Amino acid sequence: MRTPLSRIRGLGAAHHGTEHFWQQRVTAAANVLLLVVLIGIMVTLVGSTHATVVATLSKPLVAVLLVAAIISVSIHMRLGMQIIIEDYVHTPFRKVVLLMLNTFFTWGVALTCIYAVLKISFGL
Amino acid sequence: MTDMPARQRPISPHLTIYRLTWTMVMSIVHRVTGSALYFGTLLFTWWLVAAASGAKYFDTANAFFGSWFGQLILLGYTWSLVHHMLGGIRHFIWDTGRGHGPERQTLARMTLIGSVAITILLWAMALLLRS
């Protein structure tokens, strides 16, 4: 005898349950908190010299917040673009290729940005 | 069956037959701004990599972002980000079960008015701090 709860746990058509939905919400909440702070910092950096920008970005707190934002934003935009592809592309081959490119693009952006932040933070 | 020519079947009506409503437009704009931000991350990546590569590269990136074309892109970038963020907060309100009644019109309007107002505020702050 299975309870209704145990039957829906981790299931659904894709066997992922509400994971996609929930991850999108968690990263959305993180994005709001992180980006409000980072937009504030970016506003102060408008028109600054290279030395000033590097000095600000190498502060440990700023660097950690930036890396956190990059990770959260990348997951969020991978999930978002996945939905758009699944909504509009119905040819199986094209869909699989685009979904793969979506993963490559978002990981590429994330790793490049994190590398740049760490390089700045640890000293050029 | 296979050599029969494909019959032209009537297709179901799509977006073009509906009267535009605020909630519908805001839903489309949420997706459009999301896509713009997706590709816009390339600009942010360029800026970060330029900063990590040294003053010479950074000045090149800065010159682009400082040009009228760069500024136009950044203005669109700012608005897209703020609009998508407010749209996301609207989604959070819906997630709690609220905002599905007639007030959804107000919520949709507030998203647009709010995003324009916050964008102007951010740019005004940036220009004031710069001078």
Side-chain angles (χ1 to χ4, degrees), chain A residues 68-123:
Chain A
I70 291 162
I71 293 171
S72 182
V73 164
S74 300
I75 296 171
H76 188 83
M77 72 182 195
R78 182 175 57 78
L79 295 172
M81 189 53 82
Q82 185 192 332
I83 290 286
I84 295 180
I85 295 168
E86 288 168 349
D87 276 357
Y88 301 129
V89 184
H90 303 299
T91 325
F93 177 76
R94 208 179 290 173
K95 185 166 89 178
V96 168
V97 170
L98 283 174
L99 287 174
M100 210 178 269
L101 287 177
N102 180 37
T103 304
F104 293 168
F105 177 84
T106 47
W107 273 92
V109 165
L111 292 175
T112 312
C113 284
I114 291 170
Y115 181 83
V117 172
L118 293 182
K119 192 182 173 207
I120 293 168
S121 197
F122 292 149

Side-chain angles (χ1 to χ4, degrees), chain B residues 22-87:
Chain B
W22 270 89
T23 44
M24 171 193 185
V25 173
M26 284 306 109
S27 172
I28 296 168
V29 170
H30 192 68
R31 191 160 270 204
V32 171
T33 50
S35 304
L37 292 167
Y38 181 92
F39 293 106
T41 53
L42 286 176
L43 288 175
F44 184 69
T45 308
W46 181 40
W47 183 79
L48 266 185
V49 169
S53 305
K56 212 182 87 195
Y57 297 96
F58 186 75
D59 288 343
T60 311
N62 242 3
F64 171 76
F65 289 122
S67 70
W68 69 267
F69 185 61
Q71 293 278 294
L72 196 68
I73 290 176
L74 285 184
L75 186 63
Y77 203 156
T78 315
W79 176 76
S80 294
L81 183 62
V82 175
H83 194 276
H84 197 80
M85 193 181 276
L86 292 183

